[in-house]
Amino acid sequence: MLNQHKQLSLYSELYNKIPENHTLKLVNDFVDFSFVNELLEKSYCKYYGRPAKEPELMIKLSVLQYLYDLSDARVIEEASLNLAYMYFLGINPEDSLPHPSLLTKFRKHRLQDFTIDEVITEVVKQCVEHGIVKETNGVSIDTTHTEANTFRATPERVMKRLAKQIFKHLREENGEVPEIVNEEIPNYKEIEDHREAKETMKSYLEETMTKVEETTELEESHPKTKEMIELAREILNDAKFLESKGVRSIVDLDARVGHKTKTKNFYGYKTEYTMIHDLLITAVNVSDGAYVDGEMFDYLLDQTKKSGIEIQAFYGDKAYFRKKILDSINGCGATPYIPVSEMAYRIDEERYTYNKDSDEWFCTQGNKTVRKYHKKTKNRESYRYYFEREQCRDCPLRESCITGKNVGKILEVGINTPEFYEYSQQQKTEEFKQNYKKRACQEGKNGEMKQFHGLDRARGYGLRSMAIQAKFTALAVNLKRIAHILSSKNTTDFQFLLLIFSKSNNFSSDSDEELKVS
């Protein structure tokens, strides 16, 4: 472990100046990051090239970046001066640090999304195994949005930029743009009708690409031009593009328009994560802004289980009220605390009640269904329940209840409505209302990651860059939370846990003696 090297330097005495309750000192003493070296061992060559910086050091430098919202250059600068940073990194005060460019190379060549997932999982697992967290039974899920690191362009502007890029690469690779190709890009701003403006730019771009292909050999001598034309065609072939629901910037091709509410939207990405009620994030998934909440639910659930969490209750908002999700929660023996969604469950409970044992619906006038028909069309499945006709014939509410030529009432419900009825009744209980209040902790975590750790805006471009940012942010806030939990414990518990962790992290015997004295 890196911390062993601190004992070899005379200057390591300076670390005694760091307060015992400092966030980085607490985290470093209680969380063992040595597993990272084994995790990334296969991504390095042992026999060729210069020795690589230890992966544990690079991961810790990345954690510092997102913990304190620093750039690559700034984190190296701060870590060269700040004793707490050095202690956390496991280096001696006189040791040198890698060049900032190595952090970029590390993220690009060594660090894959799944690796960060495994780091998050292992850190939470250590906390569970050593009893740092107690409230592990309840798990919440939520999604937060992040604005893209570029502005949202209109389709007309995107097509103009694509045309300019084609001309740029063509000049670089061909020396000039052939005369047959019209370089005068239409001024779409002068066209008042937006639909006409889009069609004008689309026709111009398609004509330009065709003429470039006819007059230039693109196979080998013009790779960049060919790549840009292929990209332009891919964008134009997307039916969502002209409807302003597809690509909105060629700087960031992965970002998409998403919706916060019915009237507010954003342009960027969504981060979906699960969290235990001790405020530790257990799993993270990152997608573009058009992502539908809950699509990766099973993945997040499985990652949470890997942390050693025994889930007894699962909390989410209405977006997660779907049969597949409810079945997954029930499948792991947990109780779902998710409000009924009107989109999934449409029934007027003031007029109808349901008996699941007899599979019958009852109306307010005492009538009940006598038979059921399974209706299946190309796009939808439903049940049609038929009420007793004679009682409907003499019902005083007949005129407002039955339309058309039907004699008896026909109640058509979704395929999952009978099952959802039971959930709707459970949610009327006081027990559900009190438990559901626990989900509010998720909102505070959203605000913390955005306001203090930069998750409100993407640092780079593309889905992979956003995934790295979101997952390191989750890891950083987890470590901060661990430090808070440890510092809030009483003195006896603190010394006892410190002794246990010092041994489990293989500290030297001299270090153990110091801990006993302290």
Side-chain angles (χ1 to χ4, degrees):
M1 188 174 176
L2 289 170
N3 289 319
Q4 292 174 329
H5 302 306
K6 292 178 191 170
Q7 313 302 323
L8 304 177
S9 170
L10 292 173
Y11 298 105
S12 63
E13 290 294 323
L14 292 171
Y15 290 136
N16 293 329
K17 287 182 167 291
I18 305 172
E20 291 297 325
N21 64 345
H22 192 284
T23 297
L24 294 178
K25 191 164 189 178
L26 289 169
V27 169
N28 188 73
D29 291 346
F30 284 86
V31 180
D32 181 4
F33 279 96
S34 61
F35 68 91
V36 172
N37 294 326
E38 183 179 348
L39 192 63
L40 294 175
E41 182 180 10
K42 293 182 180 179
S43 67
Y44 291 89
C45 179
K46 297 180 179 179
Y47 307 107
Y48 300 100
R50 293 179 298 172
K53 289 293 181 182
E54 202 165 7
E56 181 182 350
L57 173 65
M58 304 303 286
I59 287 287
K60 284 187 172 182
L61 281 168
S62 300
V63 167
L64 286 175
Q65 279 189 274
Y66 290 91
L67 192 59
Y68 298 106
D69 201 12
L70 304 172
S71 65
D72 288 350
R74 187 67 187 276
V75 73
I76 297 298
E77 179 184 342
E78 291 290 330
S80 301
L81 302 171
N82 192 309
L83 282 174
Y85 285 23
M86 296 175 193
Y87 185 87
F88 175 70
L89 294 173
I91 62 175
N92 293 310
E94 71 275 17
D95 291 344
S96 61
L97 287 167
H99 191 273
S101 63
L102 281 181
L103 281 169
T104 304
K105 292 179 180 178
F106 178 72
R107 289 192 297 268
K108 186 175 181 180
H109 300 294
R110 309 297 180 191
L111 200 60
Q112 301 298 324
D113 294 347
F114 71 86
T115 304
I116 312 175
D117 290 336
E118 291 177 88
V119 174
I120 293 172
T121 298
E122 178 60 27
V123 169
V124 176
K125 189 175 181 180
Q126 289 183 27
C127 293
V128 173
E129 289 176 350
H130 295 287
I132 292 179
V133 294
K134 302 295 183 183
E135 296 293 329
T136 61
N137 296 333
V139 177
S140 299
I141 187 169
D142 198 13
T143 304
T144 189
H145 71 277
T146 301
E147 294 285 349
N149 192 17
T150 182
F151 68 92
R152 185 187 336 188
T154 62
E156 300 96 299
R157 182 159 185 159
V158 171
M159 288 185 279
K160 179 180 178 180
R161 291 289 303 275
L162 286 170
K164 284 187 172 183
Q165 289 296 310
I166 291 172
F167 295 146
K168 175 186 174 183
H169 292 312
L170 193 55
R171 288 192 190 93
E172 292 174 353
E173 297 173 333
N174 194 54
E176 62 178 359
V177 178
E179 292 184 4
I180 195 174
V181 179
N182 179 17
E183 289 189 74
E184 294 185 10
I185 301 174
N187 187 353
Y188 62 86
K189 293 182 180 179
E190 293 180 350
I191 305 174
E192 294 183 3
D193 189 334
H194 292 297
R195 290 186 178 276
E196 183 183 347
K198 291 177 186 178
E199 289 300 327
T200 300
M201 291 300 297
K202 183 173 182 287
S203 299
Y204 170 78
L205 184 56
E206 288 174 336
E207 182 182 353
T208 298
M209 292 188 294
T210 301
K211 288 184 176 180
V212 169
E213 289 173 327
E214 290 175 350
T215 57
T216 312
E217 293 291 336
L218 297 178
E219 293 302 321
E220 296 181 1
S221 58
H222 301 73
K224 290 183 179 179
T225 306
K226 181 183 177 183
E227 182 181 353
M228 187 54 63
I229 288 177
E230 289 176 349
L231 173 62
R233 279 224 166 84
E234 182 183 343
I235 292 174
L236 291 180
N237 289 336
D238 182 3
K240 296 180 179 179
F241 173 64
L242 291 181
E243 298 299 324
S244 300
K245 296 178 181 179
V247 173
R248 301 296 298 271
S249 168
I250 64 171
V251 176
D252 191 338
L253 295 169
D254 294 333
R256 291 291 184 274
V257 175
H259 295 274
K260 302 179 189 178
T261 64
K262 289 182 179 180
T263 57
K264 292 184 179 180
N265 57 39
F266 69 97
Y267 177 61
Y269 299 91
K270 278 187 176 181
T271 298
E272 188 171 41
Y273 64 97
T274 49
M275 182 179 73
I276 59 176
H277 288 162
D278 256 331
L279 305 184
L280 285 185
I281 295 172
T282 58
V284 180
N285 172 63
V286 180
S287 300
D288 62 62
Y291 172 78
V292 178
D293 296 2
E295 287 296 308
M296 294 295 292
F297 180 84
D298 286 340
Y299 167 76
L300 295 171
L301 183 64
D302 290 340
Q303 286 296 112
T304 299
K305 290 178 182 177
K306 289 179 183 178
S307 304
I309 305 295
E310 295 182 3
I311 308 172
Q312 294 182 9
F314 213 105
Y315 301 80
D317 58 27
K318 291 182 179 181
Y320 298 94
F321 190 82
R322 300 207 290 275
K323 189 176 188 304
K324 182 181 177 182
I325 293 176
L326 295 170
D327 287 347
S328 295
I329 296 172
N330 289 323
C332 66
T335 302
Y337 289 93
I338 302 174
V340 170
S341 169
E342 294 81 3
M343 295 297 293
Y345 175 77
R346 301 178 181 179
I347 197 74
D348 187 351
E349 293 187 0
E350 293 184 359
R351 297 177 62 187
Y352 305 102
T353 57
Y354 178 72
N355 186 308
K356 67 173 183 177
D357 297 321
S358 61
D359 192 16
E360 295 174 324
W361 289 92
F362 297 84
C363 74
T364 55
Q365 298 302 306
N367 198 0
K368 69 176 182 177
T369 55
V370 293
R371 62 188 179 96
K372 178 176 74 171
Y373 170 69
H374 183 198
K375 182 181 177 182
K376 189 174 183 179
T377 61
K378 185 177 180 180
N379 301 319
R380 185 173 182 264
E381 280 189 84
S382 63
Y383 287 127
R384 301 189 80 183
Y385 285 88
Y386 293 82
F387 282 86
E388 204 280 317
R389 298 174 64 182
E390 293 304 318
Q391 190 165 343
C392 283
R393 193 191 301 273
D394 300 325
C395 179
L397 301 179
R398 177 180 175 81
E399 290 186 5
S400 61
C401 184
I402 301 176
T403 58
K405 298 180 179 179
N406 294 327
V407 177
K409 172 68 178 177
I410 301 174
L411 180 64
E412 185 168 350
V413 298
I415 194 75
N416 299 314
T417 299
E419 182 179 344
F420 288 165
Y421 180 83
E422 185 176 356
Y423 284 108
S424 73
Q425 300 310 299
Q426 292 172 356
Q427 292 175 21
K428 295 176 182 179
T429 65
E430 194 63 30
E431 184 266 343
F432 178 90
K433 295 176 182 177
Q434 290 301 318
N435 273 288
Y436 187 69
K437 292 179 181 179
K438 297 177 182 178
R439 200 199 76 85
C441 62
Q442 205 98 15
E443 302 301 330
K445 188 62 67 175
N446 289 347
E448 178 187 359
M449 291 193 290
K450 287 184 176 183
Q451 186 174 355
F452 300 110
H453 301 281
L455 198 62
D456 57 327
R457 188 176 180 85
R459 289 188 171 205
Y461 307 109
L463 187 59
R464 185 175 183 275
S465 173
M466 186 64 235
I468 290 174
Q469 177 182 347
K471 292 176 182 183
F472 264 121
T473 300
L475 181 58
V477 295
N478 273 1
L479 296 178
K480 192 167 71 170
R481 176 60 184 169
I482 291 169
H484 176 76
I485 293 172
L486 292 171
S487 64
S488 64
K489 292 180 178 292
N490 61 50
T491 305
T492 303
D493 288 344
F494 182 85
Q495 291 177 341
F496 178 69
L497 280 171
L498 187 59
L499 180 60
I500 291 176
F501 270 77
S502 65
K503 290 181 178 179
S504 66
N505 288 345
N506 297 318
F507 281 4
S508 67
S509 57
D510 290 339
S511 178
D512 284 343
E513 291 299 324
E514 289 179 12
L515 294 172
K516 290 176 183 178
V517 172
S518 65

